Amino acid sequence: MPVPAPAPTLAPSLRSRPLTVALIGNPNTGKSTLFNALSGSRTLTGNYPGVTVEKTVGQMQCGDRAVNLVDLPGTYSLAPRSLDEMVAVNVLLGRMADIGTPDVVVCIVDASNIERNLYLVCQVLDLGLPTVLVLNMADVAATRGVTIDAKKLSERLSLPVVVTEAHRHRGIEAVREAILEATARGPLVRPKLFPPAFMAECDTLAEKLAEWGQPQVPYYLRERLLLDVGGYVEGHFLADKSHLLKAWLTEARARLGAAGCKVPAVEARVRYAWVREILDGAVVRPATRPVTASDKFDRVLTHRVAGLVIFALVMLLIFAAISWFAQFFMDAFEAGQGWVSGLVASVLVPGPLRSLVVDGVIAGVGGVLIFLPQILILFFFIALLEDCGYMARAAFLMDRLMTKVGLSGKSFVPMMSSFACAIPGVMAARVIENRRDRLTTILVAPLMSCSARQPVYVLMIGAFIPAMYLGGWLQPLVLFAMTFYGAVVAIPVAWILKKTLLRGETPPFVMELPSYKWPSWRLVFNRVYAQGKEFVQRAGTLIFATSMLIWAAGYFPGDHTQADKLQAKIEKYEADLSDEQKEAVGETHAILGEFKTETQDLKKERPTAAATRGKKIDARLKEISKETDSYLETLNPEQRNYLADSSTKRALDTKLLEGSLLGQFGHAIEPAVKPLGWDWRIGVGVIASFPAREVIVSTLGTIYSLGGDVEADDQGLRSAIRHAEWPDGRKVYNIPVALSVMVFFALCAQCASTLMVIHRETGHWGWPVFTFTYMTLLAYGAAFVTYRLALLLGM
């Protein structure tokens, strides 16, 4: 058993510096609940360097001492199998420069399942750090008839033991006092659990490592090198002499096996023997385990039929909340953005500064905040389901299905959430402990058809898919197919990723089903607040920067002097004219646009028309001319000037966009997109939509001189793209092109916001670059095949 080492005398500088306290425990032990109860909302989040593991650090006071509280990832063991799992070991060994060596380790265990939880505690004690044992969820233990003598445990372990109910804020102050007590006691003497033969091999390994240029390797790492056959430490330690290390480890394990100390079985044997010795007489369980309310709930909620039905209903509720409730707040953000833009426009005259502020800064900030409602609602439900205990059941139900395509049962919620928006979906992948499963989920989540793709589908389907077929069901069926097309493609993509780039042994699905309990609303809202704040501060800055770059590419290098003068005149007209007069101008503009399109079609048809048809065309052209004059006569002079200047401004905006860096790049990539049936204008729309996919609609509106405020269901925009032509007179758009555009947008990574969040979640630029590359190539290939196949079928 561990005994305390003589307490050191702390120098004044050490007494004044903040303590570093690491919290560690098995999943579902209430560790995060205790962390939030101790730190409140004073937390900072980020990623540990080079890994996808979230780093959460909080601040609190223990008496007169400031404390930095580090919430380590939930784990069942300190035997790392990957770089992500190595994070906890590195933190505890003081190998993370931004954290330092912890002064105290707080081990949180589930009091109702203390036997298995103490396995991790036993490994922590091997580190020799000052330690506090927290017996959390004491109320659950009492419900199950388990009684624990905390005082006896404290005496046997020679460390402070505290009983808590973190979700009810019971025992929190006792934890603070125990941290100070552990600090005063100082480091523990590491318990000697393993046989002498194993200890001797550890000492010999230290000598060998010193010979190979690695002196003073911590004892725990030497222990792990011997015990973890094929583990992360063995595979990544002493890289330049790994062949010597592996050869020596193989020989050492053989010697241990011959001495009756087989590796790795010896670890479980000696540690659980230690657990039984520690708990003997200190923990009393009833002869028969009582049936609890959680057991009764689980009979229904984990049933193979009823459980799936209930799970589907819960997911439907979450999806509906994200899709419906978030829309209200998103509309409010858009209205607020419009109000602020209008306020700025009323102060600044048309020109580069106003465009920068309105179209760059305000639009960039709006592009960040517009995602916030979906993120907050999603994380509210995730926190709620996790804290009440249902999330573990959901993962259990879905694991069998998801593992068939290389994903985890916990991947389902992030994937489903991505149908509303990939950003909260990618962020929700944090709940997946396994690094490969988490990365696979992050990489395929953007394939789900988010709400931003819907305007593209609506525009193309409304313009080119006939509405009269299949009793009017053809358009809805095409919309349904496009919505779920990405999800179907994600299945083989995930399977391929797990077989190639992210291949590796699939770990067994081990998950403890915690007892159900009422969620802590304070914890839930703290988590929602923290996630929203983190998104705005970290991913939001990158999204804003990307939006600014796209604005600059669409504005420069053209001379906007004439356009700015026209804009000033238009704003004066709008100030002078009544709402009814402006509405009349808008209606006239729409009608004249239809007349213009019809005139172009008739003039194109006239040279090849038969005599009879030619006469009808001439007659119709005269009628259009008369009707145009009659509509214009209904307007007063100021209205006609407003109409003329607005039309001139739209045409000028089209010319400026074509001559901008964005337009030039669109022309440059036209040879690359032409095999898809696209011209440069579609290419510009695709590039401009990089900050957000739905921007393609307003970009096409500008290109076709309709203005940037058009909607996807605008009949003028649909008519304009129907009549768009190549220089040789061929129509640009048809059913094959429409299908090609929709398939491309269904699979492409045209969302800078999502890519920025992937960078934020993975901590490396390589993953968003890979995501953009593979999705773009996949989208291009699928669009090419779709276009060519549609042409062959004569669509």
Side-chain angles (χ1 to χ4, degrees), residues 16 19 28 66 97 103 108 191 242 285 367 401 410-411 413 506 552 659 746 774:
S16 60
L19 293 174
N28 300 313
D103 298 291
I108 299 95
S242 60
R285 290 185 175 275
L401 172 64
K410 290 187 174 181
S411 300
V413 172
T506 301
Y774 103 77

Side-chain angles (χ1 to χ4, degrees), residues 217-529:
V217 174
Y219 174 84
Y220 189 76
L221 283 184
R222 287 182 273 137
E223 194 176 83
R224 298 268 49 100
L225 282 168
L226 281 168
L227 291 172
D228 299 339
V229 181
Y232 178 82
V233 180
E234 177 183 344
H236 294 79
F237 195 80
L238 208 66
D240 57 334
K241 294 184 176 65
S242 60
H243 61 290
L244 297 175
L245 176 62
K246 290 182 180 180
W248 188 90
L249 289 174
T250 301
E251 295 173 0
R253 289 163 184 160
R255 291 193 296 269
L256 288 171
C261 185
K262 292 184 178 181
V263 173
V266 63
E267 180 173 27
R269 187 177 77 243
V270 300
R271 292 199 189 280
Y272 278 117
W274 176 86
V275 170
R276 287 191 294 271
E277 180 184 354
I278 291 294
L279 296 183
D280 184 33
V283 176
V284 179
R285 290 185 175 275
T288 58
R289 182 178 180 276
V291 177
T292 64
S294 291
D295 297 328
K296 296 176 182 177
F297 281 128
D298 278 339
R299 289 173 186 170
V300 178
L301 296 179
T302 61
H303 189 272
R304 60 170 48 188
V305 177
L308 287 174
V309 172
I310 294 172
F311 173 75
L313 293 175
V314 171
M315 293 301 103
L316 179 62
L317 172 64
I318 296 175
F319 186 73
I322 295 173
S323 299
W324 298 338
F325 298 161
Q327 193 60 49
F328 171 80
F329 297 101
M330 293 169 73
D331 291 342
F333 277 131
E334 286 186 345
Q337 179 183 338
W339 180 81
V340 174
S341 296
L343 185 64
V344 172
S346 67
V347 175
L348 298 177
V349 297
L353 178 60
R354 181 162 124 179
S355 181
L356 169 65
V357 175
V358 174
D359 301 324
V361 176
I362 297 175
V365 172
V368 173
L369 297 181
I370 197 69
F371 296 111
L372 200 54
Q374 294 177 323
I375 290 171
L376 296 180
I377 291 174
L378 173 63
F379 276 100
F380 168 77
F381 280 104
I382 288 178
L384 192 68
L385 295 178
E386 279 189 335
D387 203 39
C388 73
Y390 183 74
M391 186 64 82
R393 275 79 179 176
F396 169 76
L397 286 169
M398 294 306 301
D399 187 69
R400 181 178 299 179
L401 172 64
M402 302 300 286
T403 50
K404 292 180 180 179
V405 297
L407 295 172
S408 160
K410 290 187 174 181
S411 300
F412 187 82
V413 172
M415 299 286 281
M416 185 214 67
S417 304
S418 296
F419 276 101
C421 178
I423 290 174
V426 169
M427 294 176 68
R430 296 174 182 180
V431 301
I432 306 171
E433 292 88 358
N434 182 267
R435 176 178 178 271
R436 289 191 300 273
D437 289 348
R438 182 166 63 253
L439 281 174
T440 304
T441 304
I442 287 173
L443 294 179
V444 300
L447 288 170
M448 305 300 108
S449 278
C450 63
S451 57
R453 290 176 167 104
Q454 295 299 315
V456 182
Y457 302 154
V458 170
L459 174 61
M460 294 298 165
I461 290 173
F464 298 103
I465 304 301
M468 71 286 298
Y469 293 116
L470 299 179
W473 280 93
L474 182 58
Q475 288 187 342
L477 285 174
V478 173
L479 179 60
F480 176 84
M482 295 312 306
T483 300
F484 289 95
Y485 178 65
V488 173
V489 173
I491 295 173
V493 170
W495 185 85
I496 292 171
L497 287 172
K498 289 303 290 287
K499 295 295 182 182
T500 55
L501 187 64
L502 297 172
R503 65 180 178 274
E505 181 182 356
T506 301
F509 183 72
V510 178
M511 173 169 285
E512 182 179 355
L513 299 182
S515 299
Y516 293 100
K517 62 182 179 69
W518 287 108
S520 166
W521 294 108
R522 179 179 178 181
L523 172 63
V524 169
F525 286 111
N526 277 347
R527 283 197 61 185
V528 171
Y529 170 77

Side-chain angles (χ1 to χ4, degrees), residues 123 480 493 530 637 681 777:
Q123 291 180 323
F480 176 84
V493 170
R681 290 169 289 194
L777 293 176

